Amino acid sequence: MVIKVKTENEKVHEWLKQQLEDCADIDDRELKAGDKKAKIIYLKSVTDSQIINRFIITPFYETKDTKEFMEYVVSFPAEMEPKDQHEALSQLLKGFVIIFAENKYVAFQAKKMAGSGVTEASAEVNVQGSPDALTENLEVNLNLIRHRYQTANLKVELKVIGSISQSAAGILYDSTKVDNDVLKELKKRLDSIEAEVLITAGELEQELSGRKFHIFPTVVVTERPDRLVKSIEQGKIVVMLDKTKFAIILPSIFQDFFAAMDDRIQLPLVGWFLKGIRYAGLIATLSLPAFYVAFAAYNPEILRVQLTLMIAGSRVPVPYPAVIEVLLMLIMVEFLIEASIRLPKTIGPTATTVGGLILGTAATEAGLVGNVMIILVSAVAITNFVIPINMMNFSVRVLRYAFLLLASLFGLVGIVLGFVGIVVYLSQVRSFGRPYFNILADTNSRKGIS
Amino acid sequence: MKKILLFVCIAALLSGCNIRDVEKRAFVVAMGVDKAKEKDKLEISLKVSLPTGDPKAGLSKFTIITVQAESIAEAMRIAKSKIDKELDFGHTRVIMLGKNLLSEDIKPIIYWAQRRRDIQMISHIAAAQPDAKTVIAIQPKTETIPGSYLVNLFDREGSESPFVIPEYLFDLQRKISEFGWDPVLPLVEAQKDNLVVERAILLNDEKMKVTLSPDETRLLNILKDDEIKSSFTAIEHGKIKYTINEESSRAKFRISEGNHPTITFNVKMSGVLEEDRVEGYFTKEKAQEAARLIEQELNRKMVKLLMKCQKSKVDPLGFGLRYQATHVKKDEQEVWNELYPRIKFKVNSKVDIQSTGIIK
């Protein structure tokens, strides 16, 4: 009886198979031709069979012996030699083929690129300028950035976050312009992330911001490579997470959330005007419902008599107090917005039309809400979309209700209180140690301090 | 979080009954105060606008609430029981004082209005003839919103009449409490179903002293240095020759003391020719003649007006205040009181006809 002593190779092979026991997509095959012998193991779902055929299986039968085959394989830049079986496993999961031959095992990259191609930006649309958006693939994204920022100073550091998701995060910055304090702080925070699964840039944003409860986003989440490049040029740091279409920019200040990429394309005067419009939109969307309540319930003397009488007239058939009226309509609009976001693109407009037009008209005719109220609610909904960055958009949407509450409790004073509160809050917020609400800051300054 | 919730709950209770929605308020757009027939009683009339549910129906409906009481504050309490809504004075832009009331002390009424938080300081005060109640109840055909007729006139938002001298509540109060400046109130006259404002009433700090004619009202407006458009006619031997449309005017005065204390007015105005009843083109000579005629007329009338004020011991242009401001003496008020009745007036007017219109 011959006692077969398992070689190191066989042990690793066994172990790997054990680890991936119930995975239907594992493929484990032996290549044999004459005295040539090799074993390969890989996950079919994450590897590209063409690459395996072309660079592993075909050469195996064309080379003289296993040694030559191994030499051939090792010559590829895609080849890696794992330190131990654990690294081999993680590489296997990433889309590597582990080849066992000649008493050693090597990993050969045969990743299947299931990523989508470069598509047009959908969350951050602009009129002119590049339509490209980031893709789900980190390498494609890096490619998009590199093409737009061709300097050796653009550094890319890779870090793995998420103990289960193993998401690769690329930290991009211009080494000559970056603020090293922020970079250090970022790395510290990335290291301290304890999440198991991290899939979206938004989650990363929350993990990084270091606060449990915050109203305003402190880093910009964007899908536009041109915005990323502009930020890198300004000395900011970009963190790109693999498998997500969005990247985050930090440190960011309040103003960044109100800048669209169009602003740079337009003439300066037009750019300023657009910016002004956005801030006006911010104030309007925050305070209009609150003003209505404050006006209708507390201080009807602040408006002109025509308007007062008109609002009073429109409210005559309304059975509920102004706060309830506003709240009802606002929530109705929120439903509309939510519904039209989640609906397929083909039904979306229909839902909005049906909901918005018919509901609004019918509600006023039935006397459930005043005419003025409908105008106001639509104005609020529209002005809200003026803010170009999605996350800020949502923050403002929520904050509106705080203003409504304040106005319903304290009237006009409540609104003033709300604005004072926001300014106080914003002033103490820091984005990676940089003052967040630095309105007078030079946005081109890399320090974020004027 | 618990603390925040607690705070919200408590805050919600704090507001209590203060919330009164806009449709549950009755907006008093104009208010009239008259002397009641009973002795020592006031008659208060409130013009309350009635909002309608349909915006197409217009906003011009209103009702009048009349209350008689010893004091205005008391009248307000009584008025509350005459309407189902809360009276809101936030839009009371016009307060009318009946002419019969002006012969008594108007200070209490002004001070009451001043003290109210909700009556806006930019409210207009005017005198009413025959009485405030009648004037308030009239709705001129062009009035679209209750009370807007008078507000438009006084604000000079709509018609810009040289015969209207508006008086704000804050200004009236200031003039009453200030030395050497007396208030002028516009007089609103009810004529059938229309309101006419073309005269002004001069008051000393308490009561009515003299009523000005429309022409005098216009001249006072010019002397007040208000930027007001008006027209002046050059008359020679009782025949109208030219009329100019005055477009801008400046009036400045100087007080000189000495043996013959005088107040010298320098009035400069410029305008456009509007009517020429003399044959021929409007030449430079004719322009000079027209200007000279108007200047003479103005000088004469203005001096007369100023002397009228002097005679009735009122000071609507603030001479006394100017004197006090430019003289540092212990007894400048007494000196002025002694000086004013014997001061002389001199008016130098300068008329500049800038254009002849679009024809020669």
Side-chain angles (χ1 to χ4, degrees), chain B residues 25-289:
Chain B
R25 297 180 194 225
F27 292 99
V28 178
V29 286
M31 182 182 151
V33 186
D34 286 305
K35 240 167 89 173
K37 288 201 181 88
E38 273 178 76
K39 211 186 157 235
D40 285 341
K41 266 200 172 183
L42 292 169
E43 189 179 55
I44 318 287
S45 325
L46 303 173
K47 187 175 189 171
V48 177
S49 71
L50 301 173
T52 47
D54 185 7
K56 284 171 200 137
L59 302 162
S60 57
K61 284 188 183 166
F62 68 91
T63 181
I64 303 278
I65 299 173
T66 313
V67 184
Q68 295 196 346
E70 272 89 17
S71 71
I72 307 185
E74 186 64 26
M76 292 310 142
R77 298 292 164 280
I78 300 170
K80 271 177 187 248
S81 62
K82 293 197 172 184
I83 189 159
D84 67 327
K85 294 176 173 130
E86 168 79 1
L87 287 173
D88 190 305
F89 289 89
H91 286 287
T92 312
R93 289 294 308 281
V94 181
I95 298 173
M96 308 289 302
L97 306 174
K99 211 179 170 190
N100 52 7
L101 194 78
L102 289 179
S103 48
E104 289 175 13
D105 195 356
I106 58 161
K107 271 189 206 159
I109 300 160
I110 303 305
Y111 287 160
W112 169 84
Q114 277 266 307
R115 205 177 295 279
R116 289 286 297 223
R117 174 192 72 88
D118 47 352
I119 293 186
Q120 298 201 1
M121 293 300 278
I122 50 167
S123 294
H124 293 285
I125 312 286
Q129 192 180 2
D131 55 51
K133 192 185 168 189
T134 322
V135 166
I136 278 181
I138 287 176
Q139 185 177 31
K141 285 218 171 66
T142 52
E143 185 176 88
T144 47
I145 298 155
S148 68
Y149 185 88
L150 288 176
V151 173
N152 278 349
L153 265 181
F154 293 148
D155 268 352
R156 290 180 179 156
E157 262 185 21
S159 151
E160 206 178 289
S161 162
F163 301 106
V164 178
I165 300 183
E167 189 72 276
Y168 283 114
L169 174 60
F170 72 87
D171 215 19
L172 180 63
Q173 194 267 339
R174 182 172 71 122
K175 285 176 188 171
I176 285 177
S177 51
E178 188 76 88
F179 166 80
W181 202 346
D182 293 327
V184 186
L185 290 184
L187 180 66
V188 184
E189 288 164 90
Q191 291 183 355
K192 278 185 196 161
D193 55 355
N194 201 16
L195 298 174
V196 179
V197 189
E198 56 178 12
R199 299 204 277 168
I201 290 180
L202 300 183
L203 293 92
N204 69 359
D205 285 346
E206 281 170 5
K207 53 185 86 165
M208 177 170 85
K209 281 294 183 186
V210 63
T211 309
L212 298 182
S213 71
D215 200 36
E216 286 169 328
T217 308
R218 171 165 62 180
L219 291 177
L220 189 64
N221 239 340
I222 299 275
L223 288 177
K224 275 181 76 175
D225 202 12
D226 269 359
E227 203 47 57
I228 186 93
K229 291 185 177 67
S230 181
S231 65
F232 294 98
T233 309
I235 304 170
E236 202 176 31
H237 310 304
K239 220 177 120 194
I240 296 170
K241 290 180 105 173
Y242 315 101
T243 303
I244 65 151
N245 179 25
E246 175 259 310
E247 279 176 342
S248 75
S249 72
R250 302 277 299 138
K252 283 181 182 169
F253 69 85
R254 208 177 55 241
I255 304 170
S256 53
E257 286 171 282
N259 292 337
H260 304 286
T262 5
I263 292 175
T264 316
F265 255 100
N266 283 313
V267 182
K268 265 186 202 168
M269 54 175 74
S270 60
V272 182
L273 180 76
E274 277 209 324
E275 251 185 88
D276 178 8
R277 296 197 181 179
V278 182
E279 288 292 311
Y281 288 134
F282 192 76
T283 55
K284 207 176 177 184
E285 289 72 42
K286 275 166 87 178
Q288 279 165 354
E289 191 205 354

Side-chain angles (χ1 to χ4, degrees), chain A residues 223-403:
Chain A
E223 59 164 353
R224 300 194 63 88
D226 47 359
R227 191 187 278 275
L228 295 178
V229 168
K230 194 75 203 172
S231 307
I232 293 172
E233 192 234 307
Q234 286 169 3
K236 293 182 178 176
I237 304 167
V238 167
V239 180
M240 285 205 288
L241 204 59
D242 201 8
K243 326 258 187 324
T244 151
K245 288 187 75 171
F246 294 89
I248 64 179
I249 304 169
L250 54 99
S252 292
I253 58 168
F254 191 68
Q255 257 173 300
D256 293 338
F257 294 89
F258 294 87
M261 289 318 289
D262 274 8
D263 296 358
R264 298 181 202 287
I265 294 162
Q266 302 292 356
L267 299 173
L269 193 70
V270 182
W272 295 331
F273 171 74
L274 291 176
K275 261 200 178 148
I277 291 267
R278 278 183 216 123
Y279 282 104
L282 168 75
I283 291 170
T285 194
L286 270 180
S287 60
L288 269 184
F291 263 121
Y292 180 81
V293 171
F295 171 77
Y298 287 91
N299 310 83
E301 65 269 11
I302 55 161
L303 291 185
R304 307 213 101 186
V305 66
Q306 289 96 317
L307 200 54
T308 312
L309 293 180
M310 217 170 77
I311 293 179
S314 80
R315 277 199 42 80
V316 164
V318 180
Y320 292 108
V323 196
I324 309 284
E325 188 192 5
V326 174
L327 209 60
L328 265 174
M329 280 320 283
L330 277 185
I331 288 176
M332 216 61 214
V333 168
E334 300 290 355
F335 286 154
L336 261 178
I337 295 171
E338 270 310 292
S340 50
I341 291 174
R342 311 289 167 221
L343 273 177
K345 272 200 181 117
T346 39
I347 323 178
T350 326
T352 332
T353 319
V354 172
L357 281 176
I358 300 178
L359 210 106
T361 328
T364 27
E365 271 176 19
L368 285 177
V369 288
N371 295 320
V372 183
M373 185 67 240
I374 296 285
I375 300 169
L376 198 118
V377 162
S378 4
V380 164
I382 295 165
T383 43
N384 195 37
F385 297 123
V386 167
I387 303 167
I389 301 280
N390 215 279
M391 287 195 75
M392 182 56 94
N393 207 321
F394 279 68
S395 298
V396 168
R397 236 169 95 184
V398 175
L399 212 57
R400 196 153 65 207
Y401 293 91
F403 270 83

